[in-house]
Amino acid sequence: MNTRAKEIIEKLNLLLHPEGGYYKEIYRSNEQITKLPNRYSGERAFATSIYFLLNEDQKSNFHKLKSDELWYYHEGSSLSVYIINEEGILKTFKLGLDLDNDELPQLTIHKNSWFAAEVNYKTSFCLMGCMVSPGFDFSDFELGKREELLEKFPEHSGLIRNFTDH
């Protein structure tokens, strides 16, 4: 494991995330949204935010949320983020600070999009912040199942096989 990544994981008390990588919730609004679209099972906080870290050998496997999510670059390698929208269109973005190399310091991932990510420099890591609104709840999180995604998006089979465990 990258030495700096290990230091950050320890200092920020990050935990393993089911999609891959490490995380820690750092903010949850005290206020609740009570009237939400039917896709939600109950009230949600206005917003939530986490630290999220991918180490050199980790991937964020394909998953989707019922809410929009914003990713903010903090430190380390740039990150490639693969997003398949509801129409099956794949877009790839780089999260980082090298604007001359088409990297973005902030990225929006729209609700119901399947997305995955990996560190671009395999001897490094990426630390980012992720903000979800309405706030994150694990009941709004769906980890991609390989066979279902392959059936729905066969044109993206290589990425799907690389960013799903089963």
Side-chain angles (χ1 to χ4, degrees):
M1 176 180 286
N2 178 287
T3 305
R4 178 68 177 142
K6 186 175 181 181
E7 179 181 287
I8 291 169
I9 290 165
E10 290 172 3
K11 286 187 177 188
L12 296 178
N13 297 311
L14 303 181
L15 305 169
L16 285 172
H17 196 291
E19 79 195 44
Y22 296 87
Y23 81 106
K24 181 176 183 183
E25 185 174 276
I26 56 170
Y27 173 75
R28 180 170 290 273
S29 173
N30 291 331
E31 295 182 280
Q32 298 288 310
I33 303 171
T34 57
K35 286 190 172 187
L36 287 163
N38 290 336
R39 68 180 179 269
Y40 297 99
S41 60
E43 297 179 354
R44 296 289 181 272
F46 281 4
T48 55
S49 182
I50 64 170
Y51 289 126
F52 185 62
L53 184 142
L54 284 176
N55 195 30
E56 55 201 6
D57 58 345
Q58 293 178 313
K59 295 181 252 189
S60 171
N61 282 323
F62 272 112
H63 62 289
K64 69 178 179 175
L65 301 177
K66 293 180 181 179
S67 300
D68 290 346
E69 183 170 19
L70 299 170
W71 284 20
Y72 305 93
Y73 175 84
H74 290 315
E75 182 179 342
S77 169
S78 61
L79 195 74
S80 287
V81 183
Y82 309 99
I83 302 172
I84 304 173
N85 70 17
E86 292 183 89
E87 291 76 38
I89 298 167
L90 170 69
K91 291 189 178 180
T92 302
F93 298 92
K94 290 183 195 173
L95 187 70
L97 295 178
D98 187 352
L99 302 179
D100 293 331
N101 194 25
D102 297 323
E103 293 178 7
L104 302 168
Q106 176 178 316
L107 176 63
T108 301
I109 301 162
H110 296 284
K111 71 179 183 321
N112 296 323
S113 295
W114 290 100
F115 60 105
E118 65 183 332
V119 174
N120 289 328
Y121 300 101
K122 300 304 182 193
T123 58
S124 189
F125 65 94
C126 184
L127 174 66
M128 68 205 88
C130 303
M131 194 275 300
V132 176
S133 179
F136 179 82
D137 185 286
F138 266 105
S139 67
D140 302 334
F141 170 88
E142 183 179 348
L143 195 57
K145 294 176 182 72
R146 181 176 290 167
E147 293 308 314
E148 289 177 16
L149 291 177
L150 286 171
E151 186 175 316
K152 190 169 185 174
F153 308 114
E155 66 275 26
H156 307 306
S157 63
L159 270 179
I160 291 168
R161 290 183 192 288
N162 193 33
F163 288 95
T164 54
D165 290 333
H166 58 291

